[in-house]
Amino acid sequence: MSSEDLLDVAVAAARASAAVLLEYYEHGVREVAAKSTPTDLVSEADLEAERAIRDLIAARRPDDAILGEEGDDVAGSTGLRWVVDPLDGTINYLFRIPQWCVSVACEGHVGVVLDPLRDELFTVRVGEPAFLNGEPLRGSAREDVATAMVATGFGYDARVRAAQAAVVARLLPQVRDIRRLGSAALDLAWLAAGRYDAYYEYGLNAWDWAAGEMLCGAVGLETRHLDALPGTGAGLLVAAPAIVDALEAIVTE
């Protein structure tokens, strides 16, 4: 199957998830449960949206592997693996804060991030330009850390947040400002669109960044995978090439 065909599957899967999410968003979510901590929530919308993605991939690519946030891993025989997050920004979604998205990636091939509320579809085929609703994306060319707008995110465990807060305390005086909006995948898509100059976060999972990292790479941004700090999981830093080294030094100190 060509990368164009894989992208078609990714877009269809993202839109299938979005249809479920928008229905719940309009009429309300009734069933919500805690996951890793009382503040880390999963809803019936998350679960049904991931089923919609998995069902579509299973129908069109039945022999591919699937890794998703809410379901069991599916082994495949083709060498291709889909990494999906049916709802990135669940807390925003449940609080009706309009910053959440769907992320679908076929590793090494295609990536899609869909913001259903704004109808913004970010797409990329590896080795080709990235697009927003068919228009080419252009990433930041920021050269000065002091004027950089940096996005980040925080975990749900209090001990992890304490470690993340120490990083923010070092970084904030050295940049233009920091934004924490609550959806890693959408932050990366916005970074690829030039709305930020850099993004970093500790404690991410593959489904948080699989599509977004491809989008950012396609517009010339640089990615650094960061070793875990005491109290955190491993991290990710993506930034304009001229500032990535300086930012890495600050957030890994």
Side-chain angles (χ1 to χ4, degrees), residues 1-12 56-64 78-82 106-110 125-126 128:
M1 178 175 281
S2 70
S3 62
E4 183 172 2
D5 293 330
L6 291 173
L7 186 60
D8 289 344
V9 174
V11 170
L56 189 141
I57 293 174
R60 296 182 60 174
R61 301 284 305 171
D63 299 317
D64 292 351
T78 63
L80 298 181
R81 185 172 77 157
W82 296 86
C106 184
E107 288 179 315
H109 294 277
V110 301
R125 299 186 188 96
V126 168
E128 299 182 17

Side-chain angles (χ1 to χ4, degrees), residues 159-185:
R159 293 168 297 179
V160 173
R161 288 185 174 190
Q164 292 169 328
V167 178
V168 171
R170 291 196 305 272
L171 180 62
L172 184 56
Q174 302 187 60
V175 298
R176 182 192 302 271
D177 210 343
I178 292 176
R179 295 290 182 266
R180 194 282 196 200
L181 299 183
S183 168

Side-chain angles (χ1 to χ4, degrees), residues 86-176:
L87 172 54
D88 190 53
T90 295
I91 303 302
N92 285 347
Y93 180 85
L94 294 175
F95 278 77
R96 302 190 67 79
I97 298 169
Q99 211 260 1
W100 49 270
C101 70
V102 183
S103 177
V104 179
C106 184
E107 288 179 315
H109 294 277
V110 301
V112 167
V113 174
L114 173 62
D115 178 347
L117 293 180
R118 297 175 182 83
D119 193 27
E120 290 193 332
L121 178 69
F122 301 84
T123 60
V124 64
R125 299 186 188 96
V126 168
E128 299 182 17
F131 296 91
L132 167 55
N133 292 345
E135 295 296 321
L137 292 176
R138 178 177 297 178
S140 169
R142 183 73 56 190
E143 296 183 346
D144 181 12
V145 167
T147 58
M149 179 66 76
V150 181
T152 191
F154 306 129
Y156 293 104
D157 185 279
R159 293 168 297 179
V160 173
R161 288 185 174 190
Q164 292 169 328
V167 178
V168 171
R170 291 196 305 272
L171 180 62
L172 184 56
Q174 302 187 60
V175 298
R176 182 192 302 271

